[in-house]
Amino acid sequence: DYELCEEWARLYPVPREDLINLHREHLLHLLEMGDMEKALQLLQRVEDPGICLAISEQCLDQHPNLAASHLLADYLTAHFYPSLTTARRKEIQALYLGSKMLLTLPELSRVNYFHLSSRPLLMLEQLLMNMKVDWVAVAVQTLHQLLAGQEIGFTVEDIDNLFSKYAEKALNFPFALKEKRS
């Protein structure tokens, strides 16, 4: 049905908003089905860059699954980086990094941290609080590789400060040790 509507839109004038809605729903359908290749082909078929940007952003804002969020964040960064506001760039790049971090976690645990995908530093903190040190090590290694040249609101120093804070808390004893007297 989507393809029929798309063909109809090529033959007859369709209002811009209706065209955006059609492509957005089609793209969301493809992403839900896990057909990333057809989703990318759909985005490439859209001739108007403004419509393509609107479709991609609206789909990303609907928080699709992990793979779809990662694909859309990557697509927006690769194709529309100059068109995005600074705040939106940081938001999309943070979502890209967060989804990349989630992909390093064991598959069954990803659902527990998905709500933090747009806040990678908070996700790291949550992993530390949950004592998932091995997962943190892999996530930090991934972050170090991806943070070079990114403007997302935090740096490698912020990650180091987070680790220092939790290392300090781990060594903080709430009671004084008493000496044994004979």
Side-chain angles (χ1 to χ4, degrees):
D1 291 344
Y2 290 118
E3 290 166 3
L4 178 63
C5 290
E6 193 177 320
E7 193 171 321
W8 181 271
R10 273 192 231 111
L11 298 173
Y12 298 99
V14 175
R16 180 181 169 88
E17 284 306 310
D18 291 341
L19 199 56
I20 289 172
N21 290 337
L22 165 69
H23 288 306
R24 183 189 65 237
E25 293 304 317
H26 189 189
L27 183 61
L28 285 171
H29 172 73
L30 291 171
L31 293 172
E32 283 175 20
M33 300 301 290
D35 198 343
M36 302 304 170
E37 188 175 324
K38 281 190 178 179
L40 284 173
Q41 289 172 359
L42 170 66
L43 288 171
Q44 291 168 351
R45 277 196 313 268
V46 177
E47 295 173 1
D48 184 344
I51 291 176
C52 191
L53 174 61
I55 295 164
S56 303
E57 282 192 293
Q58 288 176 18
C59 285
L60 186 63
D61 290 340
Q62 291 197 10
H63 305 290
N65 62 39
L66 175 61
S69 294
H70 187 72
L71 176 105
L72 289 168
D74 187 37
Y75 185 83
L76 281 164
T77 303
H79 292 89
F80 298 106
Y81 191 82
S83 305
L84 302 169
T85 64
T86 304
R88 188 67 170 160
R89 283 181 199 159
K90 286 181 181 179
E91 182 184 324
I92 290 171
Q93 287 179 329
L95 183 61
Y96 176 78
L97 289 177
S99 62
K100 196 74 165 171
M101 279 177 56
L102 277 173
L103 290 170
T104 67
L105 301 180
E107 192 169 341
L108 295 175
S109 301
R110 292 176 187 165
V111 70
N112 298 329
Y113 299 96
F114 183 74
H115 67 284
L116 298 172
S117 61
S118 62
R119 306 202 42 211
L121 203 56
L122 190 59
M123 188 187 314
L124 266 182
E125 188 168 0
Q126 187 70 49
L127 288 169
L128 282 172
M129 290 190 315
N130 291 340
M131 303 297 289
K132 304 295 185 186
V133 180
D134 294 339
W135 299 357
V136 169
V138 175
V140 167
Q141 186 178 17
T142 302
L143 275 178
H144 278 270
Q145 293 169 355
L146 296 173
L147 273 176
Q150 300 287 329
E151 306 169 18
I152 59 164
F154 70 91
T155 62
V156 174
E157 289 79 28
D158 293 324
I159 295 171
D160 292 342
N161 290 338
L162 181 68
F163 287 152
S164 297
K165 175 180 148 185
Y166 277 91
E168 183 180 317
K169 286 182 180 193
L171 296 175
N172 189 11
F173 296 103
F175 57 90
L177 296 173
K178 294 183 180 180
E179 290 183 23
K180 286 187 177 181
R181 294 187 181 188
S182 56

